[in-house]
Amino acid sequence: MRLTVIGCGYVGLVTGACLAAAGHEVHCTDIDAKRIDLLKAGKVPIYEEHLDEVLRRAVIEKKIFYTADAGEAIRASEVIFICVGTPPKESGEADLSAIDHVARQIAVEARSPKLVVEKSTVPALTGMQLQKALAAYSRGGSMKFEVASNPEFLREGTAVVDFFHPDRIVVGVENEKSAAIMRDIYRPILERAFHCPVHAGKCPSGTAGEFLITTINSAELIKHASNSFLALKISYANVISDLCERIGADVEEVTHAMGVDPRIGTQFLKAGLGFGGFCFPKDIQAFIHLAGSVGVEFDMLKAAEDVNKQRIDRFFEKIHKALWVIKGKKVAVLGLAFKANTDDIRFAPALEVIRRLLDEGAEVHASDPQAISRTKTLLPSVAYHEDPYDALKGADAALVCTEWQDFRKLDWERAGESMARRLVIDGRNLYSPKKMQELGFDYYCFGRL
Ligand code: UGA
């Protein structure tokens, strides 16, 4: 099938690349012409594991095309995936101006009926507005636009694998015809009838994801309800972690035993610096805002958000306790990205940690396997090191902010020899407290004995 993707950010590129790998012909466009030039030159503007290979193969097989001409992309297919950004406004409400802009483009440029699919994360009731906007912008023209909602559940860092092997594909539609089109689009994925570029024919066994057809409002709600629930889970674990510190219990023992109950599950119960990234912080705010706008108070989510904001304060309590005065100290920050396996620094806890360290007069040396170049422009006064051992040289303390595998594997005996002081304050609970103490480190972490 021929498909169009509008918006070549993280979601658009992963969606376009994976649908091309599943056998469709995908036409991608973006308002940023430089981004399209980069893509045409074979460069991938974000770091996401496997994405470059999948895109490269799609180009060779003539399954993916890039154009800065939105009209051309819109006319190239009958199904259009909207993958533009929906950033938060000051009030927390999602800014839907890019969706509105795309609706106008589609209405004006289309020459045949289209199924317009919301892939961007949007608050419930957006589909209804989109339908109205398409009708209004086509000025009563005879063109018929159907709308569908197809939220994504991709995690940065594992997005390509998540796309090919989803737990669920949620499709919110208004009629059977749209449902049938969406089913055809995802059929190769559901039936695993495609060459998986990640596993090269050796995909893990197990059931393919569930294809769930819902109303548009439900599909939109499912996305925010899922992300907010995961965020709640993390904040819950963080409060349990604080409690463990006061009582003298171990948060990992507690959350592991809780999670063994399948009704709870072990995932998203890791205590530490809390959640960041461009999804949870903005989605939780948008969901609170949406609930408020229809007269439902979602205090539970507000509490989860507050707990998350306080994680940095908790971290600094530990830093002050361990290091006492920060001014004039050389501090190594390990990790800039909001989580491992991505170069995304949006709402990354590490950035807030660094800002506060700089405010208090520290000399900050930072290392991250992927996110240094993105951070440099935002925080130019930090010294950056590709090699974490260089960042640790002469440091009075090491602060761990991201759970990269490279940091898990660090040789702390080696690092300790070059540090001014053997002090690690671990915001991601990466190391064994016992082992660190055996190596002569003062080791601080979250909620563990
Ligand atoms: C999240 C969801 O997991 C995806 O399902 C969803 O599609 C995506 O948002 C989205 O809306 O686009 P993502 O933001 O990539 O994915 O990252 P997660 O792996 O969910 O982690 C979010 C944050 O929570 C990270 O900062 C991570 O370090 C933190 N976290 C995660 C914890 O602090 N504790 C945990 O136990 C798990």
PDB file of all heavy atoms in Angstrom, residues 273 314-323 331-332 334 396-401 412 423-429 431 436 441-446:
ATOM      1  N   LEU A 273      16.336   8.652  40.039  1.00  0.00           N
ATOM      2  CA  LEU A 273      16.161  10.072  39.701  1.00  0.00           C
ATOM      3  C   LEU A 273      14.813  10.392  39.061  1.00  0.00           C
ATOM      4  O   LEU A 273      14.522  11.544  38.770  1.00  0.00           O
ATOM      5  CB  LEU A 273      17.264  10.483  38.728  1.00  0.00           C
ATOM      6  CG  LEU A 273      18.525  11.064  39.333  1.00  0.00           C
ATOM      7  CD1 LEU A 273      19.558  11.299  38.252  1.00  0.00           C
ATOM      8  CD2 LEU A 273      18.215  12.379  40.038  1.00  0.00           C
ATOM      9  N   ARG A 314      15.859  15.197  46.281  1.00  0.00           N
ATOM     10  CA  ARG A 314      16.357  14.032  47.062  1.00  0.00           C
ATOM     11  C   ARG A 314      17.822  13.768  46.704  1.00  0.00           C
ATOM     12  O   ARG A 314      18.645  13.489  47.553  1.00  0.00           O
ATOM     13  CB  ARG A 314      15.561  12.747  46.747  1.00  0.00           C
ATOM     14  CG  ARG A 314      14.114  12.687  47.124  1.00  0.00           C
ATOM     15  CD  ARG A 314      13.944  12.382  48.611  1.00  0.00           C
ATOM     16  NE  ARG A 314      13.766  13.642  49.313  1.00  0.00           N
ATOM     17  CZ  ARG A 314      12.636  14.342  49.337  1.00  0.00           C
ATOM     18  NH1 ARG A 314      11.567  13.867  48.751  1.00  0.00           N
ATOM     19  NH2 ARG A 314      12.562  15.483  49.973  1.00  0.00           N
ATOM     20  N   PHE A 315      18.109  13.854  45.393  1.00  0.00           N
ATOM     21  CA  PHE A 315      19.477  13.595  44.907  1.00  0.00           C
ATOM     22  C   PHE A 315      20.434  14.615  45.526  1.00  0.00           C
ATOM     23  O   PHE A 315      21.516  14.271  46.001  1.00  0.00           O
ATOM     24  CB  PHE A 315      19.488  13.685  43.378  1.00  0.00           C
ATOM     25  CG  PHE A 315      20.663  13.033  42.700  1.00  0.00           C
ATOM     26  CD1 PHE A 315      21.084  11.753  43.037  1.00  0.00           C
ATOM     27  CD2 PHE A 315      21.347  13.683  41.670  1.00  0.00           C
ATOM     28  CE1 PHE A 315      22.159  11.137  42.382  1.00  0.00           C
ATOM     29  CE2 PHE A 315      22.416  13.083  41.012  1.00  0.00           C
ATOM     30  CZ  PHE A 315      22.826  11.804  41.371  1.00  0.00           C
ATOM     31  N   PHE A 316      20.000  15.871  45.537  1.00  0.00           N
ATOM     32  CA  PHE A 316      20.875  16.912  46.080  1.00  0.00           C
ATOM     33  C   PHE A 316      21.038  16.795  47.597  1.00  0.00           C
ATOM     34  O   PHE A 316      22.087  17.145  48.137  1.00  0.00           O
ATOM     35  CB  PHE A 316      20.412  18.313  45.639  1.00  0.00           C
ATOM     36  CG  PHE A 316      21.094  18.701  44.344  1.00  0.00           C
ATOM     37  CD1 PHE A 316      20.634  18.227  43.142  1.00  0.00           C
ATOM     38  CD2 PHE A 316      22.256  19.467  44.347  1.00  0.00           C
ATOM     39  CE1 PHE A 316      21.286  18.521  41.956  1.00  0.00           C
ATOM     40  CE2 PHE A 316      22.930  19.762  43.173  1.00  0.00           C
ATOM     41  CZ  PHE A 316      22.445  19.296  41.972  1.00  0.00           C
ATOM     42  N   GLU A 317      20.022  16.272  48.285  1.00  0.00           N
ATOM     43  CA  GLU A 317      20.193  16.022  49.732  1.00  0.00           C
ATOM     44  C   GLU A 317      21.359  15.052  49.925  1.00  0.00           C
ATOM     45  O   GLU A 317      22.190  15.217  50.807  1.00  0.00           O
ATOM     46  CB  GLU A 317      18.916  15.396  50.319  1.00  0.00           C
ATOM     47  CG  GLU A 317      17.822  16.414  50.598  1.00  0.00           C
ATOM     48  CD  GLU A 317      16.461  15.757  50.818  1.00  0.00           C
ATOM     49  OE1 GLU A 317      16.392  14.542  51.106  1.00  0.00           O
ATOM     50  OE2 GLU A 317      15.451  16.473  50.671  1.00  0.00           O
ATOM     51  N   LYS A 318      21.410  14.037  49.044  1.00  0.00           N
ATOM     52  CA  LYS A 318      22.487  13.042  49.145  1.00  0.00           C
ATOM     53  C   LYS A 318      23.833  13.687  48.785  1.00  0.00           C
ATOM     54  O   LYS A 318      24.844  13.437  49.440  1.00  0.00           O
ATOM     55  CB  LYS A 318      22.215  11.862  48.192  1.00  0.00           C
ATOM     56  CG  LYS A 318      21.033  11.002  48.604  1.00  0.00           C
ATOM     57  CD  LYS A 318      20.744   9.920  47.566  1.00  0.00           C
ATOM     58  CE  LYS A 318      19.362   9.342  47.726  1.00  0.00           C
ATOM     59  NZ  LYS A 318      19.137   8.604  48.973  1.00  0.00           N
ATOM     60  N   ILE A 319      23.819  14.522  47.745  1.00  0.00           N
ATOM     61  CA  ILE A 319      25.073  15.160  47.314  1.00  0.00           C
ATOM     62  C   ILE A 319      25.610  16.054  48.439  1.00  0.00           C
ATOM     63  O   ILE A 319      26.787  16.007  48.791  1.00  0.00           O
ATOM     64  CB  ILE A 319      24.869  15.983  46.016  1.00  0.00           C
ATOM     65  CG1 ILE A 319      24.415  15.078  44.864  1.00  0.00           C
ATOM     66  CG2 ILE A 319      26.148  16.719  45.622  1.00  0.00           C
ATOM     67  CD1 ILE A 319      23.959  15.804  43.597  1.00  0.00           C
ATOM     68  N   HIS A 320      24.702  16.844  49.041  1.00  0.00           N
ATOM     69  CA  HIS A 320      25.149  17.748  50.112  1.00  0.00           C
ATOM     70  C   HIS A 320      25.666  16.956  51.313  1.00  0.00           C
ATOM     71  O   HIS A 320      26.673  17.327  51.921  1.00  0.00           O
ATOM     72  CB  HIS A 320      24.000  18.669  50.540  1.00  0.00           C
ATOM     73  CG  HIS A 320      23.772  19.785  49.554  1.00  0.00           C
ATOM     74  ND1 HIS A 320      22.533  20.112  49.069  1.00  0.00           N
ATOM     75  CD2 HIS A 320      24.646  20.634  48.939  1.00  0.00           C
ATOM     76  CE1 HIS A 320      22.656  21.111  48.201  1.00  0.00           C
ATOM     77  NE2 HIS A 320      23.921  21.444  48.108  1.00  0.00           N
ATOM     78  N   LYS A 321      24.974  15.869  51.621  1.00  0.00           N
ATOM     79  CA  LYS A 321      25.389  15.049  52.765  1.00  0.00           C
ATOM     80  C   LYS A 321      26.787  14.463  52.503  1.00  0.00           C
ATOM     81  O   LYS A 321      27.653  14.456  53.383  1.00  0.00           O
ATOM     82  CB  LYS A 321      24.369  13.925  52.957  1.00  0.00           C
ATOM     83  CG  LYS A 321      24.563  13.113  54.198  1.00  0.00           C
ATOM     84  CD  LYS A 321      23.385  12.176  54.385  1.00  0.00           C
ATOM     85  CE  LYS A 321      23.739  11.091  55.378  1.00  0.00           C
ATOM     86  NZ  LYS A 321      22.832   9.973  55.308  1.00  0.00           N
ATOM     87  N   ALA A 322      26.982  14.004  51.256  1.00  0.00           N
ATOM     88  CA  ALA A 322      28.223  13.299  50.934  1.00  0.00           C
ATOM     89  C   ALA A 322      29.387  14.263  50.688  1.00  0.00           C
ATOM     90  O   ALA A 322      30.504  14.029  51.138  1.00  0.00           O
ATOM     91  CB  ALA A 322      28.000  12.441  49.693  1.00  0.00           C
ATOM     92  N   LEU A 323      29.095  15.336  49.983  1.00  0.00           N
ATOM     93  CA  LEU A 323      30.176  16.219  49.501  1.00  0.00           C
ATOM     94  C   LEU A 323      30.299  17.487  50.328  1.00  0.00           C
ATOM     95  O   LEU A 323      31.305  18.180  50.269  1.00  0.00           O
ATOM     96  CB  LEU A 323      29.869  16.572  48.031  1.00  0.00           C
ATOM     97  CG  LEU A 323      30.960  17.128  47.146  1.00  0.00           C
ATOM     98  CD1 LEU A 323      32.153  16.194  47.101  1.00  0.00           C
ATOM     99  CD2 LEU A 323      30.411  17.324  45.722  1.00  0.00           C
ATOM    100  N   VAL A 331      33.101  17.817  39.779  1.00  0.00           N
ATOM    101  CA  VAL A 331      32.085  16.764  39.828  1.00  0.00           C
ATOM    102  C   VAL A 331      31.946  16.117  38.455  1.00  0.00           C
ATOM    103  O   VAL A 331      31.773  16.810  37.449  1.00  0.00           O
ATOM    104  CB  VAL A 331      30.716  17.353  40.272  1.00  0.00           C
ATOM    105  CG1 VAL A 331      29.654  16.260  40.320  1.00  0.00           C
ATOM    106  CG2 VAL A 331      30.838  18.023  41.629  1.00  0.00           C
ATOM    107  N   ALA A 332      32.018  14.787  38.422  1.00  0.00           N
ATOM    108  CA  ALA A 332      31.831  14.058  37.156  1.00  0.00           C
ATOM    109  C   ALA A 332      30.379  13.613  37.065  1.00  0.00           C
ATOM    110  O   ALA A 332      29.858  12.967  37.991  1.00  0.00           O
ATOM    111  CB  ALA A 332      32.742  12.846  37.119  1.00  0.00           C
ATOM    112  N   LEU A 334      27.913  11.262  35.063  1.00  0.00           N
ATOM    113  CA  LEU A 334      27.886  10.152  34.107  1.00  0.00           C
ATOM    114  C   LEU A 334      26.463   9.991  33.588  1.00  0.00           C
ATOM    115  O   LEU A 334      25.564   9.568  34.315  1.00  0.00           O
ATOM    116  CB  LEU A 334      28.358   8.864  34.780  1.00  0.00           C
ATOM    117  CG  LEU A 334      29.783   8.900  35.342  1.00  0.00           C
ATOM    118  CD1 LEU A 334      30.169   7.554  35.935  1.00  0.00           C
ATOM    119  CD2 LEU A 334      30.798   9.326  34.283  1.00  0.00           C
ATOM    120  N   ASP A 396      35.978  15.007  42.599  1.00  0.00           N
ATOM    121  CA  ASP A 396      35.671  14.851  44.024  1.00  0.00           C
ATOM    122  C   ASP A 396      34.474  13.936  44.218  1.00  0.00           C
ATOM    123  O   ASP A 396      34.270  13.392  45.303  1.00  0.00           O
ATOM    124  CB  ASP A 396      35.329  16.225  44.629  1.00  0.00           C
ATOM    125  CG  ASP A 396      36.539  17.140  44.627  1.00  0.00           C
ATOM    126  OD1 ASP A 396      37.491  16.851  45.378  1.00  0.00           O
ATOM    127  OD2 ASP A 396      36.551  18.118  43.848  1.00  0.00           O
ATOM    128  N   ALA A 397      33.665  13.810  43.169  1.00  0.00           N
ATOM    129  CA  ALA A 397      32.496  12.915  43.255  1.00  0.00           C
ATOM    130  C   ALA A 397      32.049  12.537  41.858  1.00  0.00           C
ATOM    131  O   ALA A 397      32.239  13.310  40.908  1.00  0.00           O
ATOM    132  CB  ALA A 397      31.339  13.626  43.965  1.00  0.00           C
ATOM    133  N   ALA A 398      31.475  11.338  41.743  1.00  0.00           N
ATOM    134  CA  ALA A 398      30.850  10.918  40.480  1.00  0.00           C
ATOM    135  C   ALA A 398      29.351  10.816  40.721  1.00  0.00           C
ATOM    136  O   ALA A 398      28.925  10.215  41.704  1.00  0.00           O
ATOM    137  CB  ALA A 398      31.395   9.555  40.057  1.00  0.00           C
ATOM    138  N   LEU A 399      28.577  11.434  39.839  1.00  0.00           N
ATOM    139  CA  LEU A 399      27.113  11.348  39.943  1.00  0.00           C
ATOM    140  C   LEU A 399      26.593  10.551  38.754  1.00  0.00           C
ATOM    141  O   LEU A 399      26.854  10.920  37.610  1.00  0.00           O
ATOM    142  CB  LEU A 399      26.468  12.744  39.902  1.00  0.00           C
ATOM    143  CG  LEU A 399      27.028  13.839  40.812  1.00  0.00           C
ATOM    144  CD1 LEU A 399      26.149  15.084  40.711  1.00  0.00           C
ATOM    145  CD2 LEU A 399      27.093  13.371  42.249  1.00  0.00           C
ATOM    146  N   VAL A 400      25.873   9.479  38.993  1.00  0.00           N
ATOM    147  CA  VAL A 400      25.346   8.670  37.890  1.00  0.00           C
ATOM    148  C   VAL A 400      23.904   9.100  37.608  1.00  0.00           C
ATOM    149  O   VAL A 400      23.045   9.043  38.487  1.00  0.00           O
ATOM    150  CB  VAL A 400      25.380   7.161  38.241  1.00  0.00           C
ATOM    151  CG1 VAL A 400      24.853   6.338  37.076  1.00  0.00           C
ATOM    152  CG2 VAL A 400      26.793   6.735  38.607  1.00  0.00           C
ATOM    153  N   CYS A 401      23.676   9.559  36.374  1.00  0.00           N
ATOM    154  CA  CYS A 401      22.342  10.082  36.035  1.00  0.00           C
ATOM    155  C   CYS A 401      21.610   9.244  34.985  1.00  0.00           C
ATOM    156  O   CYS A 401      20.403   9.407  34.814  1.00  0.00           O
ATOM    157  CB  CYS A 401      22.453  11.522  35.534  1.00  0.00           C
ATOM    158  SG  CYS A 401      22.973  12.657  36.818  1.00  0.00           S
ATOM    159  N   TRP A 412      35.588   0.397  38.554  1.00  0.00           N
ATOM    160  CA  TRP A 412      35.669   1.441  39.575  1.00  0.00           C
ATOM    161  C   TRP A 412      36.999   1.435  40.328  1.00  0.00           C
ATOM    162  O   TRP A 412      37.396   2.434  40.907  1.00  0.00           O
ATOM    163  CB  TRP A 412      34.465   1.360  40.530  1.00  0.00           C
ATOM    164  CG  TRP A 412      33.269   1.990  39.891  1.00  0.00           C
ATOM    165  CD1 TRP A 412      32.225   1.347  39.310  1.00  0.00           C
ATOM    166  CD2 TRP A 412      33.030   3.394  39.698  1.00  0.00           C
ATOM    167  NE1 TRP A 412      31.334   2.253  38.766  1.00  0.00           N
ATOM    168  CE2 TRP A 412      31.809   3.522  38.999  1.00  0.00           C
ATOM    169  CE3 TRP A 412      33.722   4.561  40.035  1.00  0.00           C
ATOM    170  CZ2 TRP A 412      31.274   4.764  38.640  1.00  0.00           C
ATOM    171  CZ3 TRP A 412      33.177   5.793  39.686  1.00  0.00           C
ATOM    172  CH2 TRP A 412      31.968   5.886  38.994  1.00  0.00           C
ATOM    173  N   LEU A 423      34.073   8.736  45.831  1.00  0.00           N
ATOM    174  CA  LEU A 423      32.688   9.037  46.205  1.00  0.00           C
ATOM    175  C   LEU A 423      31.778   8.899  44.980  1.00  0.00           C
ATOM    176  O   LEU A 423      32.006   9.556  43.964  1.00  0.00           O
ATOM    177  CB  LEU A 423      32.610  10.475  46.755  1.00  0.00           C
ATOM    178  CG  LEU A 423      31.225  11.043  46.996  1.00  0.00           C
ATOM    179  CD1 LEU A 423      30.454  10.212  48.028  1.00  0.00           C
ATOM    180  CD2 LEU A 423      31.322  12.490  47.490  1.00  0.00           C
ATOM    181  N   VAL A 424      30.778   8.047  45.080  1.00  0.00           N
ATOM    182  CA  VAL A 424      29.815   7.868  43.984  1.00  0.00           C
ATOM    183  C   VAL A 424      28.403   8.081  44.531  1.00  0.00           C
ATOM    184  O   VAL A 424      28.023   7.463  45.541  1.00  0.00           O
ATOM    185  CB  VAL A 424      29.924   6.454  43.352  1.00  0.00           C
ATOM    186  CG1 VAL A 424      28.809   6.229  42.337  1.00  0.00           C
ATOM    187  CG2 VAL A 424      31.278   6.269  42.679  1.00  0.00           C
ATOM    188  N   ILE A 425      27.656   8.968  43.856  1.00  0.00           N
ATOM    189  CA  ILE A 425      26.252   9.158  44.224  1.00  0.00           C
ATOM    190  C   ILE A 425      25.454   8.712  43.009  1.00  0.00           C
ATOM    191  O   ILE A 425      25.505   9.330  41.942  1.00  0.00           O
ATOM    192  CB  ILE A 425      25.977  10.629  44.617  1.00  0.00           C
ATOM    193  CG1 ILE A 425      26.948  11.016  45.745  1.00  0.00           C
ATOM    194  CG2 ILE A 425      24.529  10.805  45.068  1.00  0.00           C
ATOM    195  CD1 ILE A 425      27.332  12.439  45.763  1.00  0.00           C
ATOM    196  N   ASP A 426      24.788   7.577  43.174  1.00  0.00           N
ATOM    197  CA  ASP A 426      24.228   6.844  42.042  1.00  0.00           C
ATOM    198  C   ASP A 426      22.716   7.095  41.940  1.00  0.00           C
ATOM    199  O   ASP A 426      21.941   6.596  42.757  1.00  0.00           O
ATOM    200  CB  ASP A 426      24.535   5.347  42.258  1.00  0.00           C
ATOM    201  CG  ASP A 426      24.034   4.469  41.120  1.00  0.00           C
ATOM    202  OD1 ASP A 426      23.383   4.992  40.206  1.00  0.00           O
ATOM    203  OD2 ASP A 426      24.302   3.252  41.172  1.00  0.00           O
ATOM    204  N   GLY A 427      22.325   7.859  40.940  1.00  0.00           N
ATOM    205  CA  GLY A 427      20.906   8.185  40.751  1.00  0.00           C
ATOM    206  C   GLY A 427      20.126   7.096  40.049  1.00  0.00           C
ATOM    207  O   GLY A 427      18.917   7.237  39.821  1.00  0.00           O
ATOM    208  N   ARG A 428      20.799   6.003  39.660  1.00  0.00           N
ATOM    209  CA  ARG A 428      20.094   4.935  38.927  1.00  0.00           C
ATOM    210  C   ARG A 428      20.317   3.552  39.534  1.00  0.00           C
ATOM    211  O   ARG A 428      20.007   2.545  38.875  1.00  0.00           O
ATOM    212  CB  ARG A 428      20.524   4.939  37.453  1.00  0.00           C
ATOM    213  CG  ARG A 428      20.133   6.211  36.696  1.00  0.00           C
ATOM    214  CD  ARG A 428      18.639   6.367  36.555  1.00  0.00           C
ATOM    215  NE  ARG A 428      18.275   7.621  35.896  1.00  0.00           N
ATOM    216  CZ  ARG A 428      17.016   8.036  35.778  1.00  0.00           C
ATOM    217  NH1 ARG A 428      16.014   7.337  36.284  1.00  0.00           N
ATOM    218  NH2 ARG A 428      16.733   9.167  35.178  1.00  0.00           N
ATOM    219  N   ASN A 429      20.857   3.507  40.739  1.00  0.00           N
ATOM    220  CA  ASN A 429      21.057   2.227  41.444  1.00  0.00           C
ATOM    221  C   ASN A 429      21.748   1.179  40.570  1.00  0.00           C
ATOM    222  O   ASN A 429      21.284   0.043  40.449  1.00  0.00           O
ATOM    223  CB  ASN A 429      19.712   1.681  41.947  1.00  0.00           C
ATOM    224  CG  ASN A 429      19.214   2.439  43.174  1.00  0.00           C
ATOM    225  OD1 ASN A 429      19.911   3.313  43.694  1.00  0.00           O
ATOM    226  ND2 ASN A 429      18.030   2.108  43.641  1.00  0.00           N
ATOM    227  N   TYR A 431      24.996  -0.011  40.879  1.00  0.00           N
ATOM    228  CA  TYR A 431      26.069  -0.848  41.425  1.00  0.00           C
ATOM    229  C   TYR A 431      25.666  -1.486  42.748  1.00  0.00           C
ATOM    230  O   TYR A 431      24.750  -1.020  43.424  1.00  0.00           O
ATOM    231  CB  TYR A 431      27.336  -0.004  41.625  1.00  0.00           C
ATOM    232  CG  TYR A 431      27.674   0.808  40.402  1.00  0.00           C
ATOM    233  CD1 TYR A 431      27.538   2.194  40.401  1.00  0.00           C
ATOM    234  CD2 TYR A 431      28.066   0.189  39.219  1.00  0.00           C
ATOM    235  CE1 TYR A 431      27.808   2.941  39.268  1.00  0.00           C
ATOM    236  CE2 TYR A 431      28.331   0.923  38.082  1.00  0.00           C
ATOM    237  CZ  TYR A 431      28.199   2.306  38.104  1.00  0.00           C
ATOM    238  OH  TYR A 431      28.454   3.032  36.981  1.00  0.00           O
ATOM    239  N   MET A 436      30.905  -1.672  46.094  1.00  0.00           N
ATOM    240  CA  MET A 436      31.483  -0.324  46.069  1.00  0.00           C
ATOM    241  C   MET A 436      32.180  -0.031  47.397  1.00  0.00           C
ATOM    242  O   MET A 436      33.259   0.571  47.422  1.00  0.00           O
ATOM    243  CB  MET A 436      30.400   0.729  45.785  1.00  0.00           C
ATOM    244  CG  MET A 436      29.806   0.654  44.387  1.00  0.00           C
ATOM    245  SD  MET A 436      31.030   0.764  43.065  1.00  0.00           S
ATOM    246  CE  MET A 436      31.256   2.526  42.953  1.00  0.00           C
ATOM    247  N   PHE A 441      34.793   2.888  48.329  1.00  0.00           N
ATOM    248  CA  PHE A 441      33.996   4.058  47.935  1.00  0.00           C
ATOM    249  C   PHE A 441      32.970   4.413  49.008  1.00  0.00           C
ATOM    250  O   PHE A 441      32.403   3.531  49.666  1.00  0.00           O
ATOM    251  CB  PHE A 441      33.236   3.759  46.636  1.00  0.00           C
ATOM    252  CG  PHE A 441      34.061   3.993  45.400  1.00  0.00           C
ATOM    253  CD1 PHE A 441      34.865   2.979  44.887  1.00  0.00           C
ATOM    254  CD2 PHE A 441      34.060   5.218  44.762  1.00  0.00           C
ATOM    255  CE1 PHE A 441      35.634   3.183  43.757  1.00  0.00           C
ATOM    256  CE2 PHE A 441      34.827   5.434  43.627  1.00  0.00           C
ATOM    257  CZ  PHE A 441      35.624   4.421  43.114  1.00  0.00           C
ATOM    258  N   ASP A 442      32.740   5.701  49.145  1.00  0.00           N
ATOM    259  CA  ASP A 442      31.530   6.155  49.831  1.00  0.00           C
ATOM    260  C   ASP A 442      30.476   6.072  48.755  1.00  0.00           C
ATOM    261  O   ASP A 442      30.603   6.733  47.715  1.00  0.00           O
ATOM    262  CB  ASP A 442      31.668   7.638  50.226  1.00  0.00           C
ATOM    263  CG  ASP A 442      32.185   7.790  51.627  1.00  0.00           C
ATOM    264  OD1 ASP A 442      32.081   6.827  52.390  1.00  0.00           O
ATOM    265  OD2 ASP A 442      32.703   8.886  51.921  1.00  0.00           O
ATOM    266  N   TYR A 443      29.477   5.261  48.956  1.00  0.00           N
ATOM    267  CA  TYR A 443      28.513   5.013  47.876  1.00  0.00           C
ATOM    268  C   TYR A 443      27.103   5.352  48.365  1.00  0.00           C
ATOM    269  O   TYR A 443      26.644   4.811  49.373  1.00  0.00           O
ATOM    270  CB  TYR A 443      28.602   3.545  47.448  1.00  0.00           C
ATOM    271  CG  TYR A 443      27.615   3.162  46.359  1.00  0.00           C
ATOM    272  CD1 TYR A 443      27.757   3.673  45.064  1.00  0.00           C
ATOM    273  CD2 TYR A 443      26.557   2.302  46.626  1.00  0.00           C
ATOM    274  CE1 TYR A 443      26.855   3.325  44.062  1.00  0.00           C
ATOM    275  CE2 TYR A 443      25.655   1.940  45.631  1.00  0.00           C
ATOM    276  CZ  TYR A 443      25.805   2.458  44.356  1.00  0.00           C
ATOM    277  OH  TYR A 443      24.912   2.116  43.370  1.00  0.00           O
ATOM    278  N   TYR A 444      26.472   6.248  47.654  1.00  0.00           N
ATOM    279  CA  TYR A 444      25.095   6.651  47.981  1.00  0.00           C
ATOM    280  C   TYR A 444      24.193   6.260  46.810  1.00  0.00           C
ATOM    281  O   TYR A 444      24.572   6.425  45.653  1.00  0.00           O
ATOM    282  CB  TYR A 444      24.994   8.165  48.181  1.00  0.00           C
ATOM    283  CG  TYR A 444      25.725   8.660  49.391  1.00  0.00           C
ATOM    284  CD1 TYR A 444      27.117   8.791  49.381  1.00  0.00           C
ATOM    285  CD2 TYR A 444      25.042   8.988  50.557  1.00  0.00           C
ATOM    286  CE1 TYR A 444      27.804   9.225  50.492  1.00  0.00           C
ATOM    287  CE2 TYR A 444      25.723   9.436  51.690  1.00  0.00           C
ATOM    288  CZ  TYR A 444      27.101   9.558  51.637  1.00  0.00           C
ATOM    289  OH  TYR A 444      27.788   9.999  52.740  1.00  0.00           O
ATOM    290  N   CYS A 445      23.007   5.737  47.115  1.00  0.00           N
ATOM    291  CA  CYS A 445      22.076   5.381  46.043  1.00  0.00           C
ATOM    292  C   CYS A 445      20.663   5.609  46.566  1.00  0.00           C
ATOM    293  O   CYS A 445      20.493   6.282  47.575  1.00  0.00           O
ATOM    294  CB  CYS A 445      22.311   3.947  45.578  1.00  0.00           C
ATOM    295  SG  CYS A 445      22.333   2.765  46.936  1.00  0.00           S
ATOM    296  N   PHE A 446      19.666   5.069  45.893  1.00  0.00           N
ATOM    297  CA  PHE A 446      18.285   5.323  46.314  1.00  0.00           C
ATOM    298  C   PHE A 446      17.651   4.081  46.954  1.00  0.00           C
ATOM    299  O   PHE A 446      17.469   3.063  46.279  1.00  0.00           O
ATOM    300  CB  PHE A 446      17.435   5.751  45.109  1.00  0.00           C
ATOM    301  CG  PHE A 446      17.562   7.218  44.764  1.00  0.00           C
ATOM    302  CD1 PHE A 446      18.421   7.632  43.753  1.00  0.00           C
ATOM    303  CD2 PHE A 446      16.853   8.175  45.462  1.00  0.00           C
ATOM    304  CE1 PHE A 446      18.549   8.980  43.428  1.00  0.00           C
ATOM    305  CE2 PHE A 446      16.974   9.537  45.146  1.00  0.00           C
ATOM    306  CZ  PHE A 446      17.825   9.929  44.136  1.00  0.00           C
TER     307      PHE A 446
END
